[in-house]
Every structure is written in structure tokens, then in C-alpha cells.
Amino acid sequence: MASSARLLQQARAFWQGERGKAMWQCQRACVGPLIDAVRGQHGLEFTAAAPLLPLSRLRHQVQWVPSASYAESASSLLCDPAQLPLPDESMSLVVIHHLLDILHEPHHLLSEAARVTDDNGKLIILGWHPMGPGRLSRIGPSRHKRFPHQLKWHSTSQLRDWLAFVDFEIERVDYCAYSVSRYRPRWESCWRRYNVPFAHGYVVTAKRRLERVIPVGRRRWPPLALPARHAGLSACRNKLPTNSRR
């Protein structure tokens, strides 16, 4: 847990830096329409950066914090991310912003986030794309020194398997942040329009898998119909020869 706290501090420092702010702006432009389209009452966000939940129209917005020093409002939720003190299906929107790459047991957080998401709600996950340009920076000894290249990045296919285990399915995958520098290229919006997968991050939108169950009634076998002349013991008596009757 101490290692996760240290990584959270590094994540907070990264998102407050120049490269982190530039990437957050790209993510804001990509995830903004997705968050704005969600309708409901309650929303929950897990992040170490600036919150994205204010982009929504939800009335009650809750932000998870790892310690009391991170709390900035009365709506902050201080708890173990693997044990949320929230009822089932109570959130219309749950956002996980680059937190699955930090925790040692990310599937526990994903399971809790799926549990509290409403049947008609959305689960939005932002993460580092393992096949993006950031993969080149992970080669060599420097990947153990600089954040976030020392983290274990999870692919969208791995998220798909985790979500299927909690009865969720991926609705769409958007790629964003093709450059994390302040001087972003002009073709950023063009690449995002065609959803080119060669990006630093991805945005996964998932929903609960609702399968329609059709009740099957008890099968009734038709009664066995026999000819009347061959039915019962009388048929056997009729076939006996007359001299054998007593």
C-alpha cells in the first residue's frame, strides 16, 4: 500500500506539470462529449489529476481521495477503493482516470466501480495506451525512473476481459493525446476524428450487459395414443384361441 501511495504522489506531480496538463487538455476535449451525454443524479470519479466530472450535468458529484489531505470539498470520498461504502447501482456515471495503472490490484477497483454503476449508467476508463508512442520511452533503464513509464499499462483487450467478468461490455474506445507537449500538433483533432490508435492514451466507455431472459415453460409430452382394439387386457384375451379359454 505504501508503494501505491508513493505512485499516487508521483501521479499528482505529473498531472500538475506541463506534460500532464497538456495531456489532460486533450483528454478533456475527447471525454467531454461522452460525459455530457450521461443523464442521471450521481457521479463518482477516481483520479489524481484535475477532476473531469464537472463536465457532466449530474447534480451530485463525488470524488474519491486517498487521504484527507487530498479532500477539497465535502463530497470527497475517503475510503479503500476496493471497498466502496456505496449501495449497488447508485451511480449514473463512474470515471476512472489513470488509476488502474497505479494500484496493485486494479481488478478490485474495477469490480467495485462496476457494482455501483447503474444499469443505464456509464463506466468511463482512461488509461495509457501500451501500443502508443509512449512505448518507445519504456525501453531501457529509464522506464524505472520516470513517471509513468515504470507503471504496468493495461491494454483495452485486457480491460475487455476484466469487464466481461463483472458483466460489463465495452461500448466504444476512443484514442486521444497524440502529443503530450504544450505545442500540440494541429492534426490532433484530425487524428482523433479518425480515431487513429497511435496515441498516448485511450478512453474506454463501458456499460452493463443486459441480457433478456425468456422464460421457458414446463414441457408437456403429448399423451400416448393407442388403438382401442389393442389396448388393455381384453385385447390379449381376444387373441387367445377359443379352445384355450377356461
Side-chain angles (χ1 to χ4, degrees):
M1 197 68 183
S3 178
S4 298
R6 178 176 54 84
L7 291 176
L8 281 172
Q9 293 178 358
Q10 295 181 7
R12 191 175 181 86
F14 171 81
W15 293 110
Q16 290 178 353
E18 179 180 345
R19 292 170 58 85
K21 290 181 178 179
M23 183 170 184
W24 187 88
Q25 291 292 338
C26 296
Q27 292 177 340
R28 183 181 183 274
C30 180
V31 79
L34 302 177
I35 293 180
D36 183 70
V38 178
R39 297 292 180 266
Q41 297 292 331
H42 309 285
L44 175 63
E45 183 176 8
F46 299 87
T47 182
L52 293 169
L53 205 56
L55 300 175
S56 67
R57 303 181 183 181
L58 303 178
R59 296 182 179 180
H60 185 210
Q61 302 176 6
V62 181
Q63 184 177 0
W64 172 84
V65 291
S67 62
S69 59
Y70 289 84
E72 298 180 355
S73 64
S75 300
S76 299
L77 180 63
L78 176 59
C79 66
D80 185 358
Q83 297 179 355
L84 300 178
L86 300 173
D88 297 347
E89 303 177 7
S90 57
M91 295 292 163
S92 303
L93 174 63
V94 178
V95 180
I96 303 178
H97 182 269
H98 290 276
L99 210 62
L100 297 179
D101 306 322
I102 297 178
L103 300 180
H104 293 292
E105 297 178 341
H107 53 282
H108 289 174
L109 169 61
L110 192 62
S111 177
E112 281 292 283
R115 180 184 64 84
V116 301
T117 304
D118 189 13
D119 286 344
N120 299 322
K122 300 294 182 181
L123 175 59
I124 298 180
I125 305 171
L126 294 90
W128 300 97
H129 185 32
M131 303 305 296
R135 183 182 181 182
L136 302 177
S137 302
R138 294 164 58 87
I139 302 176
S142 61
R143 67 181 184 276
H144 300 290
K145 301 178 181 179
R146 298 182 56 185
F147 184 90
H149 305 296
Q150 79 274 29
L151 302 177
K152 184 179 180 180
W153 296 354
H154 304 288
S155 62
T156 56
S157 59
Q158 188 175 6
L159 290 180
R160 189 183 303 274
D161 296 337
W162 288 355
L163 290 170
F165 185 76
V166 293
D167 294 334
F168 267 67
E169 60 183 356
I170 294 181
E171 187 177 20
R172 58 182 296 172
V173 178
D174 298 286
Y175 298 95
C176 62
Y178 296 92
S179 176
V180 295
S181 63
R182 182 177 59 180
Y183 306 99
R184 297 188 301 274
R186 297 181 178 179
W187 53 83
E188 169 80 20
S189 59
C190 180
W191 286 0
R192 193 170 65 244
R193 183 184 308 162
Y194 293 100
N195 207 21
V196 180
F198 194 70
H200 284 278
Y202 59 77
V203 180
V204 172
T205 305
K207 63 179 181 179
R208 189 179 301 276
R209 183 185 301 165
L210 299 177
E211 297 181 356
R212 187 176 180 181
V213 179
I214 302 177
V216 179
R218 185 178 179 181
R219 187 173 183 180
R220 298 181 179 179
W221 296 94
L224 182 61
L226 295 176
R229 61 179 182 178
H230 297 296
L233 295 175
S234 60
C236 298
R237 294 193 185 99
N238 295 333
K239 288 184 179 182
L240 293 176
T242 55
N243 56 1
S244 62
R245 295 181 182 176
R246 294 183 182 179

